[in-house]
Every structure is written in structure tokens, then in C-alpha cells.
Amino acid sequence: MKLSRADRSMLADWSFTIDRGLLTALLALVAIGVVLSFAASPAVAIKKGLPTYYFVERHVAFAAIGAVLMLVISLFSPASVRRLAAVLLLASVVGMIVVLFKGTELNGAQRWLTFGSYSLQPSEFAKPAFIVVIAWLYGEAAGRSDMPALPLALLLWGVVAGLLVAQPDVGQTVLISTTAGLLYLLAGLPPIGAAILALIGSGGFWLAYMNFGHVQSRLEKFFSAAPFENYQVGRAMQSFSEGGFFGRGPGEGTIKSVLPDAHTDYIFAVIGEEYGVIACVALLAVFAYIVIRAMQRASDEPTAADRLAVQGLALLLGLQALINMGVNIGLLPPKGMTLPFISAGGSSMLALAITAGMLLALTRWRPDPTRLKKPRRVATIDDVHFTSHTPSV
């Protein structure tokens, strides 16, 4: 179907204003994730005593729902995106509070609400909503002095971070805090505040190390003299050397049979073993393109809140991908974080689809009202007639 620029429908407007490069890259990630689920998930399902394609079918279903959700949200205006973020953040915070009392515990963490055979992780949905809301507050703080926007932003940051630590989920706390801290700098707020926030963050990380055994254990193993003491990390690093540049071939990898999280946290290692380092670099390039393209679009955005929201969402997506990849190649200690759109996980997939939809909506091409030139008024015969009959003083 060919759309005309004379068509003023919502679909036509979306077609001509969407950033097609970003859209293509994000949909490519969804498609790549579906293909790679066939490589990593069956072995895990068999090991858990589930039907062979149990995780594949779930991944395909959530990827399809996520793609539709992404496209629907991309139709929104910036104001609608902020309203969605506010509602979603409120619902997510309520869900995170409920999790502390009635959540399902898994591997020492209480992060999920269970509904029959499905589980929901509210903190995943809090991330994009938090970034959009705090970007708006930062924008107001930078441009207005009659609103306590900065104290509200810091209070909101503290509430979300506190709820994440209570689960505990130190990795996600580090992710949103790093993103929020970078946004603080991008908003041009007082540098002394950034220094204070950095000190608070360092103190919080030290407290997490002292009070959470799993954090202490992971850090000590990571910085120990024996890099392969942590079996999962050591095996993941080994998979890249076994895969080489071009990989052992689809279905020929062994890491997915020995790691319990091969379809989630360590899927990047599966890619390295079966498809090779070149495929890993290509995947990294797709994420890099999304972040760089979003940052370029943000530079053209005249509204501070929208510019910061685009930058924040791009950083959130890029940092999460870098953390997952860094853990897989042994540059970072294990954090239990998914690779966006590639790893299995229903809550993660839907939350990332919302993140991508907001990013697409905020990067659509819109005219800048401050740059629009008013058409020059051309004199008419009535003007000439009025001037010729105006009496002189």
C-alpha cells in the first residue's frame, strides 16, 4: 500500500515521520532473538524436563506481542508517552511493593508475581517509565525555578532504587542509577550535585557488598587470581575461543547443555560458540547503531524533556546490552541481566518493547515551532486603497 503525503491519517503521518533506521534496527533485533531462541532454548528445556520447544514457543509469542506493542506505542505523541510513563511507573512501584510481601522467591531473590503458570517482574516495567519521568523532571529543573522538580526527581530515584535493593536486585539498581546519573549531567544540572550523587552511589555499592552475600561472593570470585573459579563465567569465556571467528555451526555448541541460564543471561556465549565472534560483533554493531542514531535524533529535539527522555532510553538499552555482553566475556562480574530482545523472558521482552516504542515515538520527525518562519504578507489592492485615502497629519 502506497501512502500519499496528502493523506492526513494517523498511519500516513506515522509512516512519514518515523525514523526508519531505528525502526528497522529494533525489529531486526526482535527477529534475531527469535532465530537465536532455536539455538539456545531447546537444550535448556530438555534439561528441565519440559517440551523441547517450550521456551522457543514462549519467546516467539512474547516477541510477536512485543513487536505489536512497540508499533502501537510508536504512534503516541510525546505528551502521551509521558502520561503512559507516569501511569506505568505508578503501577510498577505498587507491583514492586506487593512483590516484597507476596512475591515468588527464586535463587534468593524475590522479584516476581505469579499468576498461574505465568510470572511478572514489575521492576522490568519500572525502568523505561522511570527514565521518561525523571527526564521530564530534570528538564523542568533545568528550565524552571518555580517548581521543586529536582528534589522530586531525587526522591523518585531513591524510592525506585530502594525497592530494587529490597528485592534484592543490585544489577538493575546499578543500571537505572547509572542512566539517571548520566542524564543528570546531560541536563546541565549543578556539577556539585553530580559529585554528591556519585559519593552516595559509591557508599550504596559498598553497603551492598557488605550486606549481600551473593554480591560479595561474585565480586570476590571476579577479582580472584583464578578467573575460571566461577564456573558459569569461565565456561562462557571458553565458548568464544571454541567458536572462533565463524563459530562451530548452528546447533553444534555445547555450552547451552551445561549452563542453566544459557537461554537468558548467557545467550551471548551461545552466539559466540555457534555463530562466531563475527556474529557477536555484528550484534554489537546493531546495538551501537540504535544508541548513536537515537543520540543524533535527540540533538535535534528542542524540548529538554523529550531530548533527555530519548537519551535516557537509548542509554538504558545500550548499557543493559553492554552489561550482559561484558559478563559473558568476563569483563564484568555476573549480574543476571538479559540481552535486550535476544534473551528469553516474557517481562523483559514486553518491557523492552515499551522502551523501544517510547524511543520510536519520541524520535519521530516533528517541526520545531521556534524555527518555523511565518509567511510574508503580500500587500493587496485593499491595502493600497486604504493607504491612498488615509489623510496625512
Side-chain angles (χ1 to χ4, degrees):
M1 180 176 65
K2 189 174 182 180
L3 298 173
S4 169
R5 291 190 178 272
D7 188 349
R8 296 300 179 184
S9 66
M10 180 183 294
L11 180 59
D13 180 61
W14 176 88
S15 176
F16 290 115
T17 58
I18 197 74
D19 190 304
R20 298 188 180 186
L22 267 180
L23 177 64
T24 301
L26 289 166
L27 289 177
L29 281 181
V30 176
I32 292 170
V34 170
V35 173
L36 292 176
S37 69
F38 284 91
S41 298
V44 178
I46 293 172
K47 188 164 56 176
K48 291 179 177 290
L50 299 169
T52 303
Y53 293 103
Y54 175 80
F55 290 114
V56 173
E57 292 170 355
R58 285 173 60 91
H59 189 101
V60 171
F62 281 112
I65 296 171
V68 173
L69 185 61
M70 181 199 309
L71 295 175
V72 169
I73 295 177
S74 71
L75 294 167
F76 287 13
S77 66
S80 297
V81 169
R82 287 192 290 272
R83 285 192 287 267
L84 171 63
V87 173
L88 184 60
L89 181 60
L90 178 61
S92 299
V93 168
V94 171
M96 291 165 72
I97 294 173
V98 174
V99 160
L100 298 180
F101 298 97
K102 297 184 178 181
T104 302
E105 185 174 338
L106 182 64
N107 296 330
Q110 195 165 322
R111 306 171 187 170
W112 296 268
L113 293 174
T114 303
F115 305 95
S117 60
Y118 292 93
S119 60
L120 181 72
Q121 189 174 349
S123 59
E124 288 287 348
F125 299 92
K127 291 188 297 185
F130 167 75
I131 292 302
V132 172
V133 172
I134 204 170
W136 175 75
L137 290 172
Y138 280 165
E140 293 296 301
R144 293 175 57 179
S145 58
D146 59 335
M147 178 181 176
L150 185 56
L152 287 175
L154 298 179
L155 176 62
L156 176 63
W157 187 351
V159 169
V160 174
L163 289 172
L164 285 171
V165 170
Q167 294 182 356
D169 194 341
V170 177
Q172 298 286 15
T173 307
V174 171
L175 175 62
I176 67 146
S177 295
T178 302
T179 306
L182 291 172
L183 278 186
Y184 182 96
L185 295 174
L186 290 170
L189 296 171
I192 184 64
I196 294 173
L197 290 173
L199 287 175
I200 294 173
S202 300
F205 192 79
W206 180 80
L207 288 174
Y209 173 79
M210 297 300 295
N211 291 279
F212 295 125
H214 71 284
V215 175
Q216 190 173 32
S217 174
R218 289 176 179 179
L219 287 174
E220 288 178 353
K221 287 182 179 180
F222 178 74
F223 289 108
S224 69
F228 289 91
E229 184 180 349
N230 187 317
Y231 176 77
Q232 290 189 336
V233 175
R235 191 68 181 86
M237 293 172 62
Q238 184 182 354
S239 68
F240 291 96
S241 60
E242 292 180 356
F245 282 103
F246 302 102
R248 302 176 65 174
E252 298 299 321
T254 58
I255 187 175
K256 59 192 177 187
S257 301
V258 297
L259 289 183
D261 301 318
H263 63 315
T264 53
D265 301 351
Y266 290 97
I267 195 169
F268 193 61
V270 176
I271 300 170
E273 185 179 20
E274 298 195 1
Y275 295 92
V277 173
I278 292 179
C280 292
V281 173
L283 185 59
L284 175 63
V286 176
F287 282 108
Y289 172 81
I290 291 172
V291 175
I292 294 172
R293 181 63 178 170
M295 290 298 185
Q296 290 176 337
R297 292 289 299 115
S299 65
D300 297 329
E301 177 55 55
T303 306
D306 296 342
R307 180 179 68 254
L308 291 170
V310 170
Q311 293 170 332
L313 293 171
L315 286 170
L316 184 69
L317 190 66
L319 286 173
Q320 182 169 335
L322 280 180
I323 290 172
N324 178 277
M325 294 177 181
V327 169
N328 276 251
I329 62 177
L331 291 179
L332 293 172
K335 292 184 178 296
M337 200 169 294
T338 60
L339 184 60
F341 297 109
I342 308 299
S343 298
S347 295
S348 175
M349 178 65 74
L350 296 181
L352 287 164
I354 293 173
T355 304
M358 289 177 169
L359 188 60
L360 288 170
L362 293 171
T363 54
R364 285 171 56 188
W365 301 95
R366 294 180 178 88
D368 180 0
T370 62
R371 297 179 182 176
L372 293 179
K373 294 182 179 180
K374 295 181 179 180
R376 186 175 60 182
R377 189 173 183 275
V378 179
T380 65
I381 190 170
D382 293 331
D383 295 325
V384 176
H385 178 75
F386 176 78
T387 303
S388 62
H389 287 82
T390 300
S392 58
V393 179

